[in-house]
């Protein structure tokens, strides 16, 4: 550990920072408060053109068009001397803006900021490095950027080199450094400024584990010596561990200012809510191929309380369930699943073959529900789920539902590494999968030819699963459709107007819905069949479910 | 104001380090190193000498000395502006991450070019002595002339570097402007051949005055009959214009610099 003793040179720098914004109230900025934000607002200009061009400026008579973006909205807080102050919030909430305002890199649009003490900002380590200069030259250059006198650095040079562990490479141009070495050198310089106030922006997320531990040691050391620290981090554990106080920043407003655990709780519930909203909005891209001998539908994530979810906690045991229909006789198909992260990197794949499970013989029209039970011990983020059924010998897909589902993982703690997700597979017959009951209808006995009739229907979902509209969920699309069958038993080639459900019907729920039906072009006796339509493969009622069937005389 | 200069003084080491970095980076890894900076005016002189003395059969005696006495100070201006214009935009990583007086960046460019300029002058002077230079009393005024030119160069560099943050077009405009400025300054020709009425116009250009002064010191000293002094009024005009550009450059830079971090 470097000897981080107080040095008087820096005491003289007090009040030189943001001198134009210093609050005059001397009592307020006594030893107690180190940083004061007094009704601070900051707006940025968001330009509509990236590069302003003089030609257009002249034509338009002004600079490129822009709108003001309010990054911070009238916020006030105080950081006491010796406090470790955490700022948490979603991306773009204004956290880094606060740090930049404290360090004086940008100026507030409104309000006043007072900073009492010398600063060192770990905004980006090694920001001032020049690749062509050696480590030694960069230490001096970087130190002077941070305003440290050369004398001080000369005194501490050996300590710095020792702490960074780069003694062998100190006279090598930093362009030849690995990124880890780069960060190490930057960090070492930044902490050797020995500031009164240390600003930390996500540096805890860089470097290897050993270096992170070193960082944390330094933070603890600063804390122990009664220095003021402001931390911006997504590492909630670190915030909880080090901070004495924290604020939650959302859209430029301070939502709560309290002890860290209370703030973290609020943040987590905010994130959960946001992600639930997001999960509903984001539609996955439908990528589907295969021979269609087996069809996979209704892929769902089910949590331990048997709710269908889009967002899960990493440690919870969940079920990935899907319905399977065989359209031909198939022997021992392989069911599998794959999880990809947002960048498309394959995280995990398993299937019944690898799990050593026989799935048995599927005679035509067999319907089963397959379930993979497992923990999804994944890091926080969004993931794609792919489910497939394939032939064991040839490997040809019967049905590949690529990226059928997008889901979010939230974690309660931190996770690392690649894990075995420990899949368990089960398969059960589903007899009542699509059960539908028509409770009432207003279908007339007689119709005139070539006309559109509006019919009120009441249907009840008698299955164990919710039906979702195609618009709401393309994985389990359900609509209402109809067919005309003439006296010879042939289906008329009428394009039946299909009607959207408009909402999800949960098990046992009853839905009233208006359906438009066009009558046949010719007179005669017809059979009208109204049923639920699954857009992807076949008529719903053909799978054995109930459907409405009425004889109608067309005149 | 005092605080401002205090702050600037605190960062003198940064200015020096960045200046050194500029020079080091420019010549590191090249075999001839610093000599490249001397080679450039030499080659330009050879080319111009060939064109003027042999192709155009100009009657200017000692053309290389005539040319270099104007070209070396001009190079100081033009290289400062060409590199300095990007000194803010090109260092966005620093501007965005670290608080320090922003003028250090363009100043370090000017200073590194200034050091280059001095080296070129020294080399040029050694060459002159070798050719038999007659010492001339105006030589003692050289530091003063250089100082005033530094005012002009610093002011202009601050100006273009800060405007470039807001209008990237200025870079292209500068290129065109520098060509015009070059030919409006009597570097490759003598002001004596310019018709009288244009001569008054040319005097407004401080670089014209500098060129005349440098040329008196380095070239016309050998041809005393051709020594022509700018009038006191011309000198004062040149001084006040240089100081005005310096002050305006500083004013504009300080006006714009608080928003640099947001605008880059």
């Amino acid at each position: 550990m470097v000897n981080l003793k107080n040095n008087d040179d820096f005491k003289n720098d007090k009040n030189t920072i943001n001198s134009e914004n210093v609050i005059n109230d001397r009592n307020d900025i006594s030893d107690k408060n180190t940083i004061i934000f007094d009704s601070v607002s900051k707006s940025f200009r968001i330009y509509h053109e990236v590069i302003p061009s003089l030609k257009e400026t002249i034509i338009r008579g002004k600079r490129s068009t822009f709108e003001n973006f309010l990054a911070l909205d009238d916020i006030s807080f105080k950081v006491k001397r010796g406090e470790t102050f955490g700022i948490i919030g979603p991306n773009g909430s204004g956290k880094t803006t606060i740090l930049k305002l404290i360090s004086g890199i940008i100026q507030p649009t409104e309000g006043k900021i007072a900073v009492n003490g010398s600063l060192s900002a770990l905004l980006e380590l090694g920001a001032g490095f020049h690749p062509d200069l050696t480590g030694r030259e960069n230490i001096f250059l970087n130190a002077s950027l941070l305003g440290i006198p050369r004398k001080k650095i000369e005194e501490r040079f050996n300590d710095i080199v020792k702490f960074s562990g780069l003694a062998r490479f100190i006279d090598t141009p930093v362009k030849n450094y690995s990124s880890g070495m780069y960060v190490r050198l930057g960090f070492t310089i930044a902490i050797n400024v020995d500031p009164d106030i240390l600003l930390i922006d996500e540096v805890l997320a860089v470097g290897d584990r050993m270096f992170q531990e070193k960082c944390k040691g330094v933070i603890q050391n600063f804390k122990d010596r009664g220095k003021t620290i402001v931390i911006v981090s997504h590492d909630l554990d670190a915030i909880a561990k080090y901070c004495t106080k924290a604020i939650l920043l959302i859209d430029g407003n301070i939502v709560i200012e309290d002890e860290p655990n209370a703030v973290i709780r609020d943040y987590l519930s905010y994130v959960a809510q946001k992600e639930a909203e997001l999960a509903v909005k984001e539609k996955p891209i439908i990528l589907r191929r295969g021979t269609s001998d087996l069809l996979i539908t209704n892929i769902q994530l089910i949590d331990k309380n048997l709710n269908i979810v889009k967002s899960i906690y990493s440690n919870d045991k969940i079920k990935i369930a899907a319905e399977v229909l065989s359209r031909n006789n198939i022997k021992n198909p392989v069911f599998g699943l794959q999880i990809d992260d947002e960048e498309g990197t394959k995280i995990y794949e398993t299937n019944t073959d690898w799990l050593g499970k026989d799935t048995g013989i599927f005679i035509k029209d067999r319907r089963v529900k397959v379930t993979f039970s497992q923990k999804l011990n994944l890091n926080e983020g969004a993931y794609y789920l792919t489910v497939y059924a394939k032939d064991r010998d040839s490997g040809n897909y019967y049905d590949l539902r690529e990226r059928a589902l997008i889901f979010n993982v939230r974690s309660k703690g931190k996770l690392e590494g690649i894990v075995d997700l420990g899949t368990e597979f089960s398969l059960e017959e589903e007899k009542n999968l699509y059960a539908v009951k028509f409770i009432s209808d207003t279908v007339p006995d007689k119709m005139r030819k070539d006309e559109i009739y509006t019919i009120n229907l009441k249907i009840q979902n008698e299955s164990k699963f919710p039906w979702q509209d195609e618009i709401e969920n393309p994985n389990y699309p359900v609509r209402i459709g109809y067919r005309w069958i003439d006296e010879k038993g042939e289906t008329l080639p009428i394009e039946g107007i299909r009607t959207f459900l408009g909402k999800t019907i949960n098990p046992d729920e009853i839905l009233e819905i208006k359906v438009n039906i066009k009558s046949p072009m010719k007179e005669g006796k017809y059979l009208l069949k109204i049923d639920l339509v699954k857009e992807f493969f076949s008529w719903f009622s053909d799978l054995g479910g109930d459907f409405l069937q009425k004889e109608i005389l067309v005149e | 104001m005092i605080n401002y200069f205090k702050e600037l003084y605190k960062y003198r080491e940064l200015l020096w380090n960045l200046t050194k970095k500029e020079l080091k980076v420019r010549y590191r890894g090249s075999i001839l190193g610093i000599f490249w900076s001397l080679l450039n005016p030499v080659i330009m002189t050879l080319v111009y000498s060939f064109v003027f003395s042999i192709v155009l059969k100009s009657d200017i005696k000692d053309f290389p000395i005539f040319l270099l006495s104007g070209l070396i100070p001009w190079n100081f201006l033009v290289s400062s502006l060409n590199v300095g214009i990007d000194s803010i935009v090109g260092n966005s990583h620093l501007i965005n991450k670290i608080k320090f007086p922003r003028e250090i960046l363009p100043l370090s460019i000017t200073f590194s070019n200034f050091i280059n300029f001095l080296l070129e002058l020294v080399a040029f002077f050694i060459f002159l002595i070798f050719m038999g230079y007659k010492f001339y009393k105006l030589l003692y005024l050289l530091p003063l002339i250089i100082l005033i030119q530094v005012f002009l160069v610093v002011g202009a560099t601050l100006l273009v570097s800060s405007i470039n943050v807001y209008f990237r077009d200025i870079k292209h405009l500068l290129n065109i402007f520098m060509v015009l400025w070059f030919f409006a300054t009597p570097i490759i020709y003598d002001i004596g051949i310019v018709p009288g009425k244009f001569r008054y116009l040319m005097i407004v250009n401080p670089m014209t005055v500098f060129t005349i002064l440098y040329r008196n010191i380095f070239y016309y000293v050998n041809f005393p009959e051709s020594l022509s002094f700018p009038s006191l009024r011309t000198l004062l005009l040149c001084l006040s214009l240089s100081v005005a550009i310096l002050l305006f450059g500083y004013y504009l830079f300080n006006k714009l610099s608080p928003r640099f971090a947001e605008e880059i």
Side-chain angles (χ1 to χ4, degrees):
Chain A
M1 180 58 57
V2 186
N3 181 17
L4 296 160
K5 56 177 181 289
N6 269 355
N7 89 65
D8 289 325
D9 266 34
F10 287 97
K11 293 286 178 269
N12 301 333
D13 298 342
K14 272 175 194 168
N15 293 326
T16 58
I17 295 146
N18 284 354
S19 49
E20 61 267 51
N21 290 313
V22 166
I23 294 166
N24 290 326
D25 187 353
R26 298 298 307 174
N27 295 329
D28 212 16
I29 194 141
S30 64
D31 271 359
K32 270 184 92 183
N33 291 315
T34 317
I35 301 166
I36 300 170
F37 268 52
D38 183 16
S39 330
V40 171
S41 293
K42 177 70 199 174
S43 57
F44 290 104
R45 288 175 178 180
I46 311 290
Y47 290 104
H48 293 147
E49 286 124 311
V50 180
I51 300 158
S53 119
L54 202 60
K55 188 189 92 189
E56 281 168 35
T57 307
I58 292 162
I59 291 167
R60 229 185 266 118
K62 57 171 185 180
R63 284 201 59 190
S64 47
T65 55
F66 61 85
E67 52 188 301
N68 276 317
F69 165 71
L70 196 61
L72 292 177
D73 185 9
D74 191 22
I75 66 162
S76 302
F77 65 86
K78 287 171 189 167
V79 181
K80 290 201 186 81
R81 171 139 306 156
E83 213 164 39
T84 304
F85 193 82
I87 304 173
I88 53 179
N91 289 333
S93 59
K95 302 186 297 287
T96 303
T97 305
I98 290 183
L99 288 195
K100 284 188 173 178
L101 283 168
I102 295 173
S103 60
I105 291 167
I106 54 175
Q107 306 296 323
T109 315
E110 271 169 56
K112 282 176 176 173
I113 297 168
V115 178
N116 185 24
S118 66
L119 274 170
S120 178
L122 305 191
L123 289 182
E124 193 182 296
L125 298 171
F129 286 172
H130 195 288
D132 284 331
L133 297 181
T134 66
R136 181 191 303 274
E137 287 162 340
N138 267 310
I139 288 175
F140 285 105
L141 178 62
N142 213 267
S144 60
L145 265 168
L146 298 165
I148 316 168
R150 188 182 178 85
K151 257 194 290 175
K152 282 284 157 245
I153 287 298
E154 274 168 354
E155 271 171 29
R156 291 189 188 170
F157 189 81
N158 289 331
D159 283 342
I160 292 175
V161 174
K162 211 169 131 197
F163 182 79
S164 67
L166 295 168
R168 273 177 57 210
F169 306 99
I170 207 66
D171 289 312
T172 309
V174 297
K175 66 181 169 192
N176 300 331
Y177 280 24
S178 71
S179 60
M181 290 158 79
Y182 214 81
V183 170
R184 245 146 69 195
L185 192 62
F187 182 78
T188 315
I189 296 167
I191 58 160
N192 270 282
V193 179
D194 195 25
D196 301 326
I197 305 162
L198 186 66
L199 307 179
I200 301 172
D201 188 3
E202 294 294 358
V203 285
L204 299 173
V206 299
D208 54 23
R209 185 178 278 270
M210 250 178 71
F211 184 71
Q212 279 186 22
E213 290 309 313
K214 231 171 177 177
C215 288
K216 288 179 178 172
V218 169
I219 291 170
Q220 192 60 48
N221 180 286
F222 265 74
K223 217 169 123 79
D224 293 346
R225 288 184 302 130
K227 303 257 175 179
T228 311
I229 305 173
V230 180
I231 304 180
V232 164
S233 184
H234 286 296
D235 184 353
L236 299 179
D237 289 341
I239 297 273
K241 190 174 169 196
Y242 297 110
C243 292
T244 46
K245 201 176 176 190
I247 54 172
L248 170 58
L249 207 62
I250 292 170
D251 295 335
N253 289 293
I254 296 177
V255 178
I256 174 176
E257 178 172 356
D258 205 339
E259 58 96 20
N261 283 323
V263 176
I264 289 169
R265 234 179 359 253
D266 275 28
Y267 177 56
L268 284 177
S269 68
Y270 166 83
V271 170
Q273 185 200 332
K274 264 277 143 166
E275 283 180 356
E277 284 170 25
L278 207 70
V280 174
K281 266 186 225 153
E282 274 184 42
K283 281 193 182 179
I285 313 149
I286 302 162
L287 300 162
R288 191 175 189 180
R289 63 189 164 88
T291 60
S292 301
D293 292 328
L294 255 181
L295 293 166
I296 301 171
T297 54
N298 199 16
I299 299 162
Q300 292 171 329
L301 279 182
I302 297 165
D303 73 2
K304 57 182 178 212
N305 304 322
L306 299 177
N307 296 319
I308 296 171
V309 290
K310 290 286 184 175
S311 193
I312 57 167
Y313 276 106
S314 63
N315 267 333
D316 288 352
K317 192 150 191 171
I318 57 112
K319 283 185 175 138
I320 296 167
E323 288 156 20
V324 175
L325 165 77
S326 57
R327 302 214 304 181
N328 272 316
N329 295 333
I330 290 160
K331 203 183 149 195
N332 223 341
V334 174
F335 298 107
L337 66 86
Q338 183 181 324
I339 293 163
D340 297 321
D341 69 11
E342 273 182 300
E343 280 93 45
T345 313
K346 181 160 134 185
I347 303 290
Y348 182 68
E349 181 181 353
T350 189
N351 64 40
T352 51
D353 192 20
W354 300 347
L355 289 168
K357 291 253 180 189
D358 271 351
T359 49
I361 291 169
F362 278 67
I363 51 158
K364 191 171 181 289
D365 289 338
R366 183 185 179 199
R367 273 179 291 118
V368 296
K369 186 177 173 102
V370 296
T371 312
F372 298 89
S373 304
Q374 62 189 116
K375 283 185 175 179
L376 285 176
N377 284 355
L378 299 166
N379 258 323
E380 286 191 314
Y383 294 88
Y384 291 106
L385 175 69
T386 298
V387 178
Y388 59 82
K390 66 179 180 184
D391 182 64
R392 186 152 141 181
D393 300 325
S394 68
N396 289 338
Y397 287 109
Y398 297 126
D399 194 3
L400 171 66
R401 301 291 309 270
E402 235 178 308
R403 300 188 165 197
L405 209 66
I406 183 169
F407 63 97
N408 284 300
V409 176
R410 305 199 296 270
S411 83
K412 286 166 181 164
K414 224 182 160 186
L415 280 169
E416 270 181 32
I418 299 157
V419 288
D420 178 4
L421 296 179
T423 308
E424 289 165 27
F425 175 77
S426 76
L427 187 151
E428 59 184 285
E429 294 304 322
E430 272 297 343
K431 292 206 172 64
N432 216 17
L433 207 57
Y434 301 116
V436 55
K437 197 170 151 193
F438 286 87
I439 293 170
S440 71
D441 62 81
T442 59
V443 181
D445 292 339
K446 287 179 181 177
M447 284 185 181
R448 275 192 299 274
K449 61 177 180 182
D450 199 17
E451 243 177 67
I452 292 173
Y453 289 82
T454 301
I455 287 154
N456 290 321
L457 284 179
K458 227 180 208 180
I459 54 171
Q460 187 173 15
N461 178 1
E462 285 199 324
S463 74
K464 287 191 258 170
F465 306 98
W467 302 333
Q468 287 165 319
D469 198 70
E470 180 176 311
I471 290 173
E472 239 178 281
N473 181 5
N475 296 308
Y476 190 25
V478 181
R479 294 187 192 184
I480 292 176
Y482 66 91
R483 283 180 289 168
W484 292 98
I485 295 158
D486 66 12
E487 280 174 301
K488 289 171 207 155
E490 282 182 19
T491 305
L492 291 188
I494 293 181
E495 187 71 23
I497 306 160
R498 288 169 189 177
T499 310
F500 291 104
L501 293 179
K503 68 182 284 282
T504 302
I505 325 178
N506 291 316
D508 292 332
E509 199 184 323
I510 295 167
L511 181 75
E512 274 193 69
I513 192 163
K514 279 194 167 73
V515 178
N516 288 321
I517 290 176
K518 192 171 176 282
S519 58
M521 308 286 279
K522 282 181 191 162
E523 300 89 348
K525 265 189 177 174
Y526 291 91
L527 206 61
L528 173 65
K529 268 189 165 184
I530 301 176
D531 44 22
L532 295 178
V533 176
K534 287 211 87 174
E535 199 65 26
F536 277 125
F537 50 100
S538 71
W539 297 94
F540 211 56
S541 47
D542 284 357
L543 302 177
D546 188 21
F547 47 87
L548 184 75
Q549 190 169 318
K550 248 187 171 175
E551 235 175 83
I552 294 167
L553 188 67
V554 178
E555 297 166 340
Chain B
M1 194 68 184
I2 293 164
N3 267 345
Y4 170 75
F5 281 108
K6 249 189 186 166
E7 177 86 351
L8 215 55
Y9 181 72
K10 199 181 116 190
Y11 281 94
R12 67 196 183 281
E13 277 172 5
L14 175 60
L15 178 59
W16 177 233
N17 279 336
L18 282 175
T19 306
K20 267 200 311 201
K21 179 209 94 179
E22 240 357 272
L23 292 168
K24 265 188 203 160
V25 169
R26 194 181 302 176
Y27 301 113
R28 176 154 295 175
S30 62
I31 297 159
L32 290 180
I34 200 84
F35 287 99
W36 278 114
S37 70
L38 304 178
L39 210 61
N40 175 37
V42 167
I43 288 168
M44 275 182 83
T45 305
L46 286 175
V47 172
Y48 278 116
S49 300
F50 176 77
V51 171
F52 279 85
S53 306
I54 295 167
V55 179
L56 296 175
K57 301 193 172 51
S58 151
D59 55 358
I60 298 172
K61 285 180 194 127
D62 296 342
F63 187 78
I65 297 171
F66 172 85
L67 180 71
L68 279 171
S69 59
L71 196 63
I72 290 172
W74 173 260
N75 277 347
F76 170 38
L77 174 78
V78 80
S79 53
S80 283
L81 287 180
N82 281 345
V83 183
I85 192 164
D86 282 328
S87 60
I88 301 295
V89 175
N91 282 305
S92 54
H93 59 290
L94 293 183
I95 303 273
N96 262 319
K97 302 290 178 198
I98 304 167
K99 190 199 168 173
F100 61 95
R102 273 59 171 112
E103 47 271 56
I104 302 280
L105 291 172
L107 280 178
S108 69
I109 301 293
T110 315
F111 272 52
S112 61
N113 280 297
F114 177 65
I115 289 167
N116 239 325
F117 171 52
L118 291 184
L119 285 173
E120 285 174 20
L121 274 187
V122 168
F124 182 47
F125 201 69
I126 292 169
F127 173 68
L128 285 178
I129 290 172
F130 185 71
M131 300 292 284
Y133 180 76
K134 294 192 193 91
F135 277 88
Y136 177 46
K137 58 180 186 300
L138 201 62
L139 188 64
Y140 304 114
L141 277 180
L142 187 64
L144 187 66
I145 299 166
I146 291 174
L147 181 71
I148 299 168
Q149 199 199 343
V150 168
F151 288 171
L152 173 77
V153 175
V154 168
T157 310
L158 286 171
L159 212 62
V160 292
S161 64
S162 55
I163 295 174
N164 192 30
V165 176
Y166 291 81
F167 301 110
R168 304 288 157 98
D169 286 32
I170 189 117
K171 219 177 153 181
H172 305 286
L173 288 177
L174 182 74
N175 283 336
I176 299 163
F177 183 73
M178 291 315 284
V179 172
L180 295 179
W181 199 358
F182 178 73
F183 286 103
T185 308
I187 296 166
I188 52 170
Y189 55 91
D190 183 45
I191 188 143
I193 63 165
V194 177
K197 51 183 176 181
F198 291 115
R199 227 179 283 172
Y200 284 107
L201 240 148
M202 288 182 71
I203 289 301
V204 183
N205 169 11
M207 281 312 288
T208 302
V209 183
F210 292 132
T211 307
I212 293 169
L213 290 170
Y214 285 121
R215 194 159 279 162
N216 273 328
I217 293 168
F218 295 126
Y219 178 74
Y220 285 122
V221 64
N222 292 323
F223 310 95
E225 69 286 356
S226 309
L227 275 173
S228 64
F229 271 109
S231 67
L232 189 64
R233 227 159 98 204
T234 312
L235 288 173
L236 283 177
L237 180 72
C238 171
L239 174 68
S240 42
L241 271 173
S242 301
V243 173
I245 288 172
L246 174 69
L247 292 179
F248 181 64
Y250 244 106
Y251 167 79
L252 193 77
F253 192 92
N254 276 320
K255 187 108 181 143
L256 298 179
S257 63
R259 290 179 55 81
F260 279 171
E262 295 160 44
E263 296 285 347
I264 299 180

